[in-house]
Amino acid sequence: MTGEDGLRQWTPAGVCEPEGAPATASYRSLAFSPDGQTLWGSPSCRDEGGGWESSDVLDLASGTIGAGPPWDTGIAEHPGGGLVATLASDQGATYCLFARVDQGAAPAVIRPLLRALILDCDGYETPLFSADGRHIAIRGNAYDNSVEVFEFPSLHPVLATTLGEPSPGHPYPQEWLDQMEAWSRHNIAFGSRPGVLWIATPAGTLVEVDLETRQAVEHDVLTGSRSSALAATATGQLLVAGSGGELVLLSVLSGSTQTRTTSRDVSRAAAMAFLEATAEVPEDCDDLETHLVLTDGIRTWEADDLAAVTSASATDPTWLQLRAAINEAQVQSE
């Protein structure tokens, strides 16, 4: 628990103050480690003024607080184990960071990896892995109701779409702002069927998207109510919430012979392949960005590559256009 009185830990023995806890604490995001024995908090409450440059690691057994890497938007565990994904956001670009998690260690520490996705702008939700670990979906951003899906571990893009009308640019018409408000920011889920993404709409329908064929099928679920949230249970059932207070649990027939054991084997292989294809960011790293190998799923940039970019086209993402403009201005001033 965090608040004006600082950080407090509730245990069967009572309420106590963790060792090293600051006088005040306010986290924007909290997540448990996969084993449930460590609590990760962001931004850090230990460093005044620089909290977004790091996070906190609370060992629930000992009650001590340590330092962790920067992250700011939830943490998603890969079903294959030993790997998580989170976001590090800025107004111009957002990094989807992948990290190794020390299994069996106390406390569980997030160790960022060199390989990362770069997304345009900011305002995204927590990444979402499919049950078989072969896809990762990201919902956002601040200026569009976008959905992006990437293969895993290759990170090749398989779907990029805008829900509703795309951003018309500033100033925003009121009808477009109303549309943005109508779409839930928590309206995508992977069920038990491999290669299928589900999207809940303001009309109360569920859209079933086959990521291989790009075919979409609508299913009527709610009548006269807007879908306000969509999630999947641990067993792959879909849970839909409606704006009128409805809560609907759906079982989806997979039509697949893939067993749960096979799915676990596939997800473990995907996680291992990703871990083996990259390495950890050095522990003494002061600037994460200088080490990351970034990809948008199509192109890949080493840290030195981006420092040399001085031109970009109007079709390039906003973050790349900004980077090129800044680099070009620095070159001309020399």
Side-chain angles (χ1 to χ4, degrees):
M1 178 179 67
T2 63
E4 293 181 356
D5 296 330
L7 184 64
R8 299 291 184 268
Q9 182 181 8
W10 292 353
T11 70
V15 180
C16 61
E17 180 178 326
E19 181 181 337
T24 60
S26 179
Y27 295 120
R28 292 285 299 274
S29 299
L30 291 169
F32 283 103
S33 63
D35 62 8
Q37 300 304 304
T38 303
L39 182 64
W40 297 319
S42 173
S44 173
C45 62
R46 297 170 298 102
D47 304 324
E48 293 185 7
W52 288 109
E53 300 303 319
S54 64
S55 60
D56 288 345
V57 178
L58 174 59
D59 184 349
L60 299 179
S62 66
T64 58
I65 298 179
W71 60 275
D72 59 41
T73 310
I75 292 180
E77 179 188 2
H78 189 277
L83 179 68
V84 297
T86 187
L87 303 181
S89 308
D90 198 352
Q91 193 169 16
T94 294
Y95 300 141
C96 179
L97 303 175
F98 300 96
R100 186 192 304 271
V101 178
D102 288 343
Q103 309 237 42
V109 178
I110 303 173
R111 303 194 181 281
L113 301 170
L114 297 176
R115 196 174 175 206
L117 274 169
I118 186 165
L119 310 168
D120 206 15
C121 305
D122 62 342
Y124 294 90
E125 304 298 327
T126 305
L128 181 67
F129 284 109
S130 61
D132 62 2
R134 295 192 302 112
H135 291 97
I136 181 171
I138 304 175
R139 176 76 168 87
N141 56 43
Y143 308 101
D144 270 319
N145 275 309
S146 68
V147 176
E148 295 183 68
V149 183
F150 300 86
E151 289 180 347
F152 197 86
S154 70
L155 299 183
H156 293 156
V158 295
L159 177 68
T161 188
T162 297
L163 307 178
E165 294 297 323
S167 172
H170 190 76
Y172 304 116
Q174 186 59 48
E175 57 268 24
W176 183 82
L177 295 173
D178 293 342
Q179 173 198 262
M180 282 287 289
E181 184 68 23
W183 283 94
S184 167
R185 303 290 288 185
H186 304 278
N187 69 328
I188 64 171
F190 285 108
S192 58
R193 289 181 57 192
V196 173
L197 179 71
W198 295 87
I199 303 174
T201 76
T205 61
L206 281 186
V207 180
E208 175 188 0
V209 182
D210 188 309
L211 297 176
E212 182 176 352
T213 65
R214 307 295 195 277
Q215 293 182 333
V217 179
E218 285 196 30
H219 303 271
D220 291 326
V221 176
L222 302 174
T223 302
S225 183
R226 178 174 60 87
S227 300
S228 58
L230 174 65
T233 68
T235 55
Q237 295 172 308
L238 298 177
L239 189 62
V240 187
S243 58
E246 307 92 337
L247 197 60
V248 181
L249 182 64
L250 302 172
S251 293
V252 181
L253 299 177
S254 67
S256 171
T257 58
Q258 185 182 44
T259 65
R260 193 170 298 175
T261 300
T262 301
S263 183
R264 285 198 297 267
D265 291 341
V266 170
S267 64
R268 287 170 184 158
M272 187 60 66
F274 189 89
L275 291 168
E276 290 177 347
T278 186
E280 294 179 10
V281 172
E283 287 190 30
D284 57 355
C285 166
D286 292 328
D287 186 357
L288 186 65
E289 184 178 351
T290 61
H291 291 83
L292 294 178
V293 178
L294 299 171
T295 181
D296 60 3
I298 300 173
R299 295 168 292 182
T300 298
W301 297 271
E302 302 281 346
D304 292 342
D305 295 337
L306 289 179
V309 172
T310 56
S311 63
S313 69
T315 59
D316 283 322
T318 305
W319 70 265
L320 187 56
Q321 295 181 50
L322 290 173
R323 181 69 65 94
I326 292 171
N327 289 347
E328 176 64 17
Q330 290 176 340
V331 170
Q332 293 181 357
S333 65
E334 293 176 353

